[in-house]
Amino acid sequence: MATDFLDPTFGSALEVEQAASTAPSPRERVREADVQLRATQRAIESLIAEGIQTRSTRRPEASLKKGGIAKVGGIGRLIRVIDSSKVAAALAVRWDTLVDEASAALDGLARVLVSRSGPGSGMGSVDAAGAAGAPGGGGDAVALGDALDAFAAFFEYRTHALVLALVPHVPESEASSVLLAAIHSLAAAVLRFFNILVESTRTDALLFLLFSNNYINDVILCRGFAVSRNESSAPSASACDALPLYATLIKNLSNKLDRTSINFFYNDNIEDFPLFTQAISLFESEERMVRICARTVILNVLSVNDENAMDYLINTQKCLAKMAGFWSLEIIGIEKLLAAGKSSALPEIQSAIDDCVDTLLFFQDVFALQLPTVSSSLEGSLLRGPISRLVTKALEQADTDPLIHLSIFLLSQVFACISYTSLVDSVLESLFSIKTEKRFHLLGKLLPEKWINGFLTLDTDSSLVCGDASVSMVLALLTSALTSHVSQQALQNCNLCSRQKIKARILVDSLTSSVESTSLGEIASTSSSPTRVALYQPIPYDVFIIGAFIDILGAVQSVHLRLLCLDFLSWVFERLVQTGEKDAIHTLTLAHLDILLACNKDWRSMISSLVNDGVDLVIDLLEFEVTQQPQDVSRLFKDSRILLNRAQNSASEADFEFKKEVRNLGFLVCMWKHTSLLLAKFGHPERYRLPPVDAIELNTTSAEGRVDLENRNVQSCIIYHGKYPPCNGYFIFDPTTFLLVEPDKLRPGKARVIFSKPVQQVTAVLVESDAGALRVFCPSISFANADDRRARAFACGGYNMVWQNAKGWDEVRIVFRAAHEARDVVFAHIETMKDEIQGRRRRMWMDALK
């Protein structure tokens, strides 16, 4: 009766205390899980001891060799081989049951160990047993004590060894499919258990218990996981279905590394580092996620920067040389795919190139750790191995070999990905040093006089690489080198430095010595006549490269180059010739300036003739090109589309002819544009400056929303537009826009826009069968993909055109109430406005081209 008068709060606390006193302790719960796991292990051993193993074979007698007895390695028991589908099915059911029991026991054990050691335990939270405490209070001590008690029981009952013993090691060649599947499932359950344990344990004391006595190394090297220690070859994904879980486990373990915990993983006495060596063995895995985990482990180990571990990794295992060798294998794999020449292999080649670039980015992550010994060792391994091979291939004189194009592309990715100055300096000087004549084997691919015998082809070619790959790859290589972390001294040694970054005296001295050492007369004779410069003149830039660039800007064969080539060319041209002086005029040599002026004059005269002859498509292209923003070349050379030919010629013959016409006209416009920009910057700023965008009458915007009808000249009509129902509306007489609107019933004097297009983009057609009808077509032609501005640079001829046939045209039909009188007025207005606009555009461009 006395308890009826107790405080309710005290009564609730009493119930919690009673419940806690009756709940099993952490040690007892670990004991229960241990008993269950031991029973499961005995069942597994019993099932194996029964000698039941099935092996699927078309010849039953082949399974009964040696008297029907086979030996399963690693178990030490003799097993009778029975070839029966019924027995196999029954065996699979029994194995599934045991695997489920083991998984349930492991999950229960994980909950016991994690419930008091995971995030939040001992930090003001209430755990499953009801113990609570404020931060820094008694609850923290109780939670930590329970967690230590649970982990102590886990090792005292030797449950830790039992967990690993659940997974028997059976060679794949000696196990039946049923047994192999069961082992893989058991391995996955055990790996999930350890992943939960490692991820959820945050207290150092508990982690040290888990890592101590070499136990964590036993986990990493557990043979039942079927992960090979043979570091010369990567384990197959089929060898262990739980391979991703294993990779995740070693990644989670590496996240716990610091200067203290790394000693648990490295055994100085036997010089073994299982965590790192297993990561090296997974470095070459076929699965990308597994490779990422392995590389994360390597980076985490290196970032600790432990002296003993570093000595072991670099001197004992030569791991960095093995990683560089793996990159070589990736390159060889791409070369084999290219050599096969199968167009169906393009997606596989693209994926292989992505993997190759990912490996380069991993090397960059290693360099970013700023460990001198590691960086120098990795640099040496790369320069002696894969990079040396790429440089040798790139400097070959052949022009049409796709393997040379691939080598140049991958070298450009080295400059794009690696920021270690010593490495990129060595690569640059091995390619472009003025002390070797081999640089002209590479730079000579830029000369138009060598573009013969189909050297440059259209992207409709069946080749796996683009038709202009020899030119585009060299230009991309120069661009990537000049945007990289190459030192100024290396650029000077290759005569590729920008004058605005070095002192004038140093420049004159370096250029004078370079002219004497590179035999300028021989260079000039090798190049075409535009590159010849008097030998006594000090050349302020690389005469061969700039001369080749000017040759390209004046060659008709350049029509087969993609726009990205011209973008690269202009960027490198400006970078090499620029002086940094605001008032610098005629920074080109007189010989180069005269030739560039002649090129610009030729292109300008051709365009002027076409504009004067009324070829409106040229004006459209001029306006399009002038209004385009400059391309970001630092992104272009990182795209594999500069190498791989992914164009598909599925257009009809008429469409192809139209695209060919646009490509040819666009080529004239682009060559005039690029030569004008270069002359404006390095020759005649005022004379060759392009017209400003605001001076171009390029109305590509359409009216939207609502318009005001006040003071507007309108004509009533019935509007039929696509699948929409007809409506009563108005045609608005606008000088620049074809505009159809519907009156707004809720807003007098306002109208809702139904159809709006720039007047020069519409084509009006009189309907002979209907005196009051007018059909208006809007043939959709665009010179670039609006969703991807960079796509135009990679397309054949430089344009990704959307060319729709008559069925795809946007069409609107207008019926006028005043019959043909109103129709004729509207038709005449449209044609008159188009003629006036086109006349103004033509006059403006004729003035600009003078």
Side-chain angles (χ1 to χ4, degrees):
M1 297 295 295
T3 57
D4 294 337
F5 300 96
L6 291 176
D7 187 353
T9 304
F10 177 77
S12 299
L14 183 62
E15 292 177 1
V16 171
E17 182 181 358
Q18 292 174 350
S21 63
T22 58
S25 65
R27 176 175 289 272
E28 292 173 347
R29 295 170 67 185
V30 172
R31 182 62 177 173
E32 292 175 0
D34 178 80
V35 171
Q36 186 176 358
L37 286 173
R38 293 188 183 278
T40 302
Q41 185 194 30
R42 287 193 297 270
I44 293 174
E45 292 179 347
S46 175
L47 186 57
I48 296 178
E50 290 180 13
I52 300 178
Q53 180 185 13
T54 60
R55 185 174 306 203
S56 58
T57 177
R58 295 183 179 180
R59 299 176 57 190
E61 64 275 9
S63 302
L64 300 177
K65 293 181 179 180
K66 299 182 180 179
I69 301 298
K71 184 177 181 180
V72 179
I75 300 179
R77 292 181 173 86
L78 297 179
I79 299 176
R80 184 172 63 254
V81 180
I82 300 178
D83 187 33
S84 171
S85 59
K86 293 183 179 180
V87 174
L91 182 62
V93 172
R94 296 178 66 183
W95 272 117
D96 290 342
T97 302
L98 288 178
V99 170
D100 292 342
E101 291 177 359
S103 299
L106 289 171
D107 291 343
L109 179 60
R111 283 194 295 271
V112 174
L113 297 175
V114 168
S115 62
R116 295 174 180 271
S117 61
S121 62
M123 290 200 168
S125 61
V126 180
D127 60 10
D140 287 346
V142 173
L144 180 58
D146 288 345
L148 289 172
D149 191 27
F151 269 83
F154 178 66
F155 288 98
E156 179 181 336
Y157 298 141
R158 298 193 60 78
T159 310
H160 65 294
L162 176 62
V163 172
L164 294 179
L166 286 175
V167 188
H169 174 65
V170 180
E172 187 173 351
S173 59
E174 300 183 13
S176 68
S177 59
V178 176
L179 178 59
L180 197 61
I183 292 175
H184 291 171
S185 299
L186 285 171
V190 172
L191 286 169
R192 279 194 296 269
F193 166 77
F194 282 112
N195 272 313
I196 293 173
L197 207 60
V198 173
E199 286 182 355
S200 302
T201 303
R202 297 290 186 268
T203 307
D204 289 345
L206 300 180
L207 284 175
F208 291 167
L209 280 175
L210 185 63
F211 294 166
S212 61
N213 295 325
N214 216 34
Y215 177 64
I216 197 61
N217 290 329
D218 293 339
V219 173
I220 296 173
L221 298 177
C222 178
R223 299 183 67 195
F225 296 153
V227 179
S228 173
R229 282 297 305 277
N230 182 11
E231 298 161 4
S232 62
S233 60
S236 171
S238 61
C240 179
D241 293 339
L243 187 59
L245 287 172
Y246 182 84
T248 303
L249 173 62
I250 62 174
K251 184 200 71 173
N252 291 334
L253 288 172
S254 70
N255 290 333
K256 306 290 184 180
L257 291 177
D258 55 30
R259 288 295 183 91
T260 302
S261 61
I262 196 172
N263 295 308
F264 292 104
F265 295 89
Y266 174 68
N267 192 325
D268 192 19
N269 295 328
I270 61 175
E271 292 189 350
D272 190 20
F273 201 152
L275 179 65
F276 193 85
T277 52
Q278 289 298 90
I280 292 294
S281 69
L282 295 177
F283 190 86
E284 306 175 13
S285 173
E286 298 176 358
E287 297 187 31
R288 180 169 297 180
M289 190 278 288
V290 174
R291 290 200 304 271
I292 292 174
C293 289
R295 295 172 184 185
T296 302
V297 173
I298 295 171
L299 291 173
N300 287 340
V301 171
L302 294 177
S303 63
V304 176
N305 196 18
D306 180 75
E307 182 177 357
N308 294 329
M310 290 299 102
D311 291 340
Y312 169 78
L313 300 180
I314 296 174
N315 300 326
T316 306
Q317 290 296 316
K318 300 180 180 179
C319 59
L320 300 178
K322 296 177 182 178
M323 290 186 287
F326 171 68
W327 192 47
S328 294
L329 295 178
E330 287 184 320
I331 296 172
I332 293 173
I334 302 174
E335 291 176 347
K336 291 180 179 179
L337 291 174
L338 280 178
K342 297 180 180 179
S343 58
S344 58
L346 270 176
E348 187 177 357
I349 296 174
Q350 173 66 56
S351 178
I353 289 178
D354 292 341
D355 292 341
C356 199
V357 174
D358 286 343
T359 304
L360 268 179
L361 293 173
F362 166 75
F363 293 150
Q364 166 57 24
D365 291 337
V366 175
F367 286 123
L369 295 175
Q370 297 182 356
L371 304 174
T373 306
V374 174
S375 297
S376 60
S377 178
L378 179 58
E379 178 192 7
S381 299
L382 291 173
L383 290 177
R384 289 188 299 269
I387 291 182
S388 175
R389 185 172 178 273
L390 290 175
V391 170
T392 302
K393 192 69 176 177
L395 293 177
E396 293 182 6
Q397 295 188 21
D399 294 326
T400 58
D401 187 355
L403 300 186
I404 296 179
H405 304 157
L406 174 66
S407 298
I408 300 174
F409 172 78
L410 293 178
L411 287 173
S412 69
Q413 302 312 301
V414 171
F415 289 113
C417 298
I418 304 299
S419 64
Y420 191 61
T421 302
S422 177
L423 175 62
V424 292
D425 281 358
S426 299
V427 176
L428 184 71
E429 293 189 17
S430 65
L431 291 169
F432 298 111
S433 175
I434 59 178
K435 297 180 180 179
T436 175
E437 292 294 328
K438 287 187 176 181
R439 74 191 300 254
F440 302 114
H441 296 169
L442 188 60
L443 296 174
K445 302 180 190 298
L446 298 174
L447 298 176
E449 62 187 22
K450 301 184 67 175
W451 304 347
I452 56 176
N453 299 327
F455 175 62
L456 289 182
T457 58
L458 298 178
D459 283 349
T460 53
D461 189 8
S462 59
S463 174
L464 294 181
V465 299
C466 296
D468 62 358
S470 291
V471 179
S472 58
M473 290 303 99
V474 177
L475 291 171
L477 181 62
L478 287 170
T479 306
S480 62
L482 293 176
T483 57
S484 67
H485 291 76
V486 174
S487 68
Q488 194 65 30
Q489 182 61 48
L491 291 173
Q492 292 183 45
N493 294 339
C494 298
N495 206 12
L496 295 176
C497 55
S498 172
R499 288 178 293 166
Q500 70 178 32
K501 293 185 178 180
I502 57 177
K503 295 182 179 180
R505 184 65 261 170
I506 300 177
L507 171 68
V508 172
D509 293 341
S510 63
L511 291 177
T512 302
S513 62
S514 68
V515 170
E516 295 174 354
S517 62
T518 56
S519 181
L520 184 60
E522 183 178 352
I523 299 174
S525 62
T526 303
S527 173
S528 56
S529 59
T531 60
R532 295 195 182 97
V533 182
L535 294 180
Y536 63 88
Q537 293 181 358
I539 309 301
Y541 45 74
D542 192 293
V543 61
F544 188 90
I545 295 177
I546 298 303
F549 285 178
I550 295 178
D551 286 353
I552 293 174
L553 293 173
V556 178
Q557 299 97 318
S558 301
V559 68
H560 296 310
L561 297 179
R562 292 169 293 170
L563 283 186
L564 62 89
C565 294
L566 299 180
D567 291 329
F568 288 148
L569 185 151
S570 294
W571 190 90
V572 177
F573 194 112
E574 294 181 10
R575 187 68 177 267
L576 295 182
V577 180
Q578 65 186 352
T579 62
E581 301 173 6
K582 295 182 179 180
D583 300 327
I585 305 296
H586 301 293
T587 53
L588 286 171
T589 62
L590 295 180
H592 283 165
L593 184 61
D594 290 342
I595 300 168
L596 192 58
L597 284 169
C599 295
N600 181 266
K601 181 180 179 181
D602 292 340
W603 303 128
R604 186 174 69 252
S605 61
M606 294 181 192
I607 297 174
S608 299
S609 299
L610 292 170
V611 173
N612 191 48
D613 293 341
V615 182
D616 295 338
L617 185 57
V618 176
I619 298 178
D620 295 336
L621 288 166
L622 284 167
E623 293 175 346
F624 174 78
E625 286 296 340
V626 172
T627 55
Q628 292 299 300
Q629 295 295 325
Q631 290 281 0
D632 184 3
V633 296
S634 63
R635 294 179 179 270
L636 285 179
F637 62 75
K638 298 178 183 179
D639 198 315
S640 62
R641 284 180 291 180
I642 68 175
L643 172 67
L644 299 179
N645 177 18
R646 290 186 281 178
Q648 295 182 354
N649 183 24
S650 59
S652 63
E653 183 177 354
D655 291 349
F656 178 76
E657 290 300 324
F658 177 76
K659 290 184 177 182
K660 184 177 180 181
E661 178 186 1
V662 173
R663 186 192 70 237
N664 294 336
L665 296 177
F667 162 71
L668 299 178
V669 172
C670 289
M671 298 297 271
W672 167 79
K673 172 187 172 183
H674 283 278
T675 53
S676 297
L677 289 174
L678 292 175
L679 285 172
K681 188 162 188 177
F682 301 115
H684 303 276
E686 299 298 331
R687 184 176 177 184
Y688 291 96
R689 186 166 295 163
L690 298 182
V693 176
D694 54 6
I696 300 175
E697 189 173 350
L698 181 63
N699 181 18
T700 59
T701 59
S702 302
E704 296 179 356
R706 288 174 170 78
V707 297
D708 193 348
L709 296 178
E710 187 177 357
N711 299 326
R712 289 269 197 170
N713 185 11
V714 300
Q715 177 64 54
S716 61
C717 59
I718 302 175
I719 303 172
Y720 297 84
H721 182 211
K723 62 182 180 180
Y724 301 103
C727 63
N728 295 319
Y730 296 110
F731 170 81
I732 297 180
F733 291 89
D734 189 90
T736 60
T737 307
F738 178 83
L739 192 58
L740 297 176
V741 298
E742 180 185 19
D744 192 337
K745 298 178 180 179
L746 301 179
R747 298 180 181 179
K750 303 289 185 181
R752 181 176 62 88
V753 175
I754 295 179
F755 188 84
S756 174
K757 289 287 183 181
V759 70
Q760 67 266 25
Q761 294 184 8
V762 302
T763 301
V765 178
L766 298 175
V767 180
E768 298 296 338
S769 59
D770 189 347
L774 182 67
R775 297 177 67 186
V776 177
F777 299 95
C778 295
S780 179
I781 304 176
S782 60
F783 302 117
N785 188 343
D787 297 330
D788 185 3
R789 291 189 61 253
R790 286 194 296 157
R792 63 185 287 264
F794 298 99
C796 173
Y799 301 99
N800 275 347
M801 291 174 297
V802 180
W803 172 245
Q804 298 178 350
N805 56 27
K807 294 182 179 179
W809 286 354
D810 196 358
E811 177 186 353
V812 62
R813 182 168 174 265
I814 313 170
V815 178
F816 296 95
R817 302 182 187 279
H820 65 276
E821 292 85 358
R823 181 194 67 174
D824 293 343
V825 172
V826 172
F827 179 79
H829 169 78
I830 295 174
E831 295 300 316
T832 301
M833 292 301 100
K834 290 177 62 177
D835 292 340
E836 290 181 0
I837 292 175
Q838 202 64 14
R840 291 195 299 268
R841 296 168 69 197
R842 188 179 296 113
R843 288 190 296 272
M844 189 276 293
W845 280 109
M846 288 299 296
D847 293 338
L849 293 169
K850 287 182 179 179

